[in-house]
Amino acid sequence: MTSRSQSVALKSGAIFGLLLGGCFAGLPILWMLSSSFKDNSEIFAWPPRLVTSTFSFAAYTSVFTDPVKVRFFLNSYFVAVSVTVLTLITAILAAYAFSRYEFRLKGAINVVIVGIQAVPPITLLIPYFGLIVALRLYNSYQGLILTYMVFTLPYAIVMMTGYFNTLPRELDEAARVDGTTSFGALWRILVPISLPGIVSVAVYTFMIAWNEYLFALTLTRTDNMRTVPIGIQLLMGQHSYKWSEMMAMSVLGSIPVLILFVFFQKFFIGGMTAGAVKS
Amino acid sequence: MTATQIPTRAAPTQEAPRRRPLPLRRLVPYGYLSPVIVLMIVLMIVPVVVVIRYSFLDNVIMTPTSSLVGWHNYVTVLGDPLFRTAARNTAVFTSVSVAVHLLLGLAFAMLLNTTLLGQRTKTVFRTIFVMPWLLTVAIIAILWRLLLDPNGVVNYGLQGVGLIDTPVAWFSDLNLALPAVTFVNIWAGYPFFMVSLLAGLQGISADLYEAAAVDGASWLQRFVHVTLPSLRPIIVSMALLDLIWTSQQFPLIWMTTGGGPLDRTEMLSTYTYKLAFSKYEFAWASASAVVLLVLAMVLAVFYVRYQRARD
């Protein structure tokens, strides 16, 4: 084989592989999109079609005009944004301590934070319900937000500490010499130049909070507190499956994370792999 | 998701005229950490301690008085045939998922790292490849219930190409339910490996490949002697993390098969959940939950040791 025909063969092989992978990953999602535009009676039409004669936005309209479902979305947004903001603030403060101070319990707190990430959610769940009720947080936004922070904080702290460690100490020490407080050095010097790191933590945190299922199910009781993942599942539990509506809600429920990913890919992937890749 | 350990940093250089730090100043880092410490004690340490305590008590939660029963709950749970089935299912589900996640992730990462194709093509495919991972598990479960329905599109396709004769009810077939949920979990999770391995591949110096090429190494030899050793740290870390998380998988099972048909997809997580919230045997459920916790902690210790060794 000449090197030219060999490279053509390699290239077509790569394209074939990519297309195969693209079908594996993308077709199910395409089907979700397609089903959301169908009439419920057409969902299992035989033979299946990607676009049917009943193509319409009816499922979306019915989601948007149902105040209960709109509330699921508002709840999800409110909880996810709150978790993101609070996680960022708390993690930045903690990461500052880890990155810029030596203190006696540093190692111990580090171990606890690492360990927490491995604790199975189901292990927490049994005592958690009673605890949340006792704290008067049952069926409230605060309950969900604080719970999600338990899961987002360890990772956020680790990532922010890693980011701060890449910034030279001289930066904030210079500010300290000029008489700035330690908090001032953090807030005015470190935070502004850490924006890329902060963005990747934010995107990741939002994603976890937006997607959480188990605790949202257990810690809320009324529809006005439910989030999107639970809302979709509730549609499934009723007498007949409203597939079109479930798929429309699924599409709408996936959009925020997809948008975040498309816009912040670079930060996202960079942040995600911060610990794995070492030069 | 890979950076699960706080990076250690070289101790700062001592300032020349050493001052004795004031006690107040020594408290500053704890001040910055206080919100985290309070939250973690109340919402993480306390529940973990409580569940461990429950696991040694009798009739917890359901009755106001309960007495210490030692290891009795553990004996009961570990002797339960259903627990063993769940452990076996979890082992199969987890090991197959992690292995295939790794293989698919590596294959896709290498495809995306090829120099044969343009950057734009690769960006488009990368976005498509990552998409399953961006979906909420509730959405993944429902989508696959639609796809794998006996009247659904997967059955249609498989009949079309002649792989099956009659439609299959994947999630309720005694022999196919576990492979089906494992498949869905594979679909949902491989991008996690892919993204990290892709970054790893991009970090491998081109010099290494050139040197290998000069030595006349074949593609396979380059893969085995250059690519794999360079990716080894990432592969081991990812695999350990995936083992921890997959063995805890609950929502996907719960929303597709619920552990059924019979006990065929019962996992340790669904088994524990049902003990607590369907049978109200909170003491047994706590014992089972602590067993899960111990397994996770063992894996976490391996993970931390591995990370330390690398540093």
Side-chain angles (χ1 to χ4, degrees), chain A residues 183-262:
Chain A
F183 180 77
L186 167 68
W187 186 242
R188 277 188 238 122
I189 313 288
L190 286 184
V191 167
I193 50 174
S194 302
L195 266 184
I198 292 174
V199 170
S200 42
V201 174
V203 172
Y204 184 71
T205 307
F206 184 92
M207 191 172 138
I208 294 189
W210 183 267
N211 289 346
E212 206 285 328
Y213 171 79
L214 183 60
F215 286 89
L217 178 70
T218 319
L219 302 183
T220 60
R221 184 185 61 231
T222 54
D223 278 347
N224 66 344
M225 281 295 144
R226 301 285 201 191
T227 57
V228 173
I230 310 303
I232 295 171
Q233 205 222 350
L234 288 177
L235 278 178
M236 190 168 70
Q238 290 154 5
H239 15 275
S240 64
Y241 283 18
K242 296 176 181 163
W243 285 109
S244 316
E245 270 185 53
M246 286 196 283
M247 289 302 123
M249 264 188 91
S250 299
V251 172
L252 294 170
S254 308
I255 285 175
V257 175
L258 279 180
I259 291 180
L260 282 178
F261 180 79
V262 170

Side-chain angles (χ1 to χ4, degrees), chain A residues 158 182 204 211 241 265 278, chain B residues 1 3 32 126 136 145 311:
Chain A
V158 169
S182 69
Y204 184 71
N211 289 346
Y241 283 18
Q265 282 207 45
K278 294 196 175 172
Chain B
M1 237 188 276
Y32 284 118
R126 188 179 66 194
T136 306
R145 284 176 68 146
D311 284 338

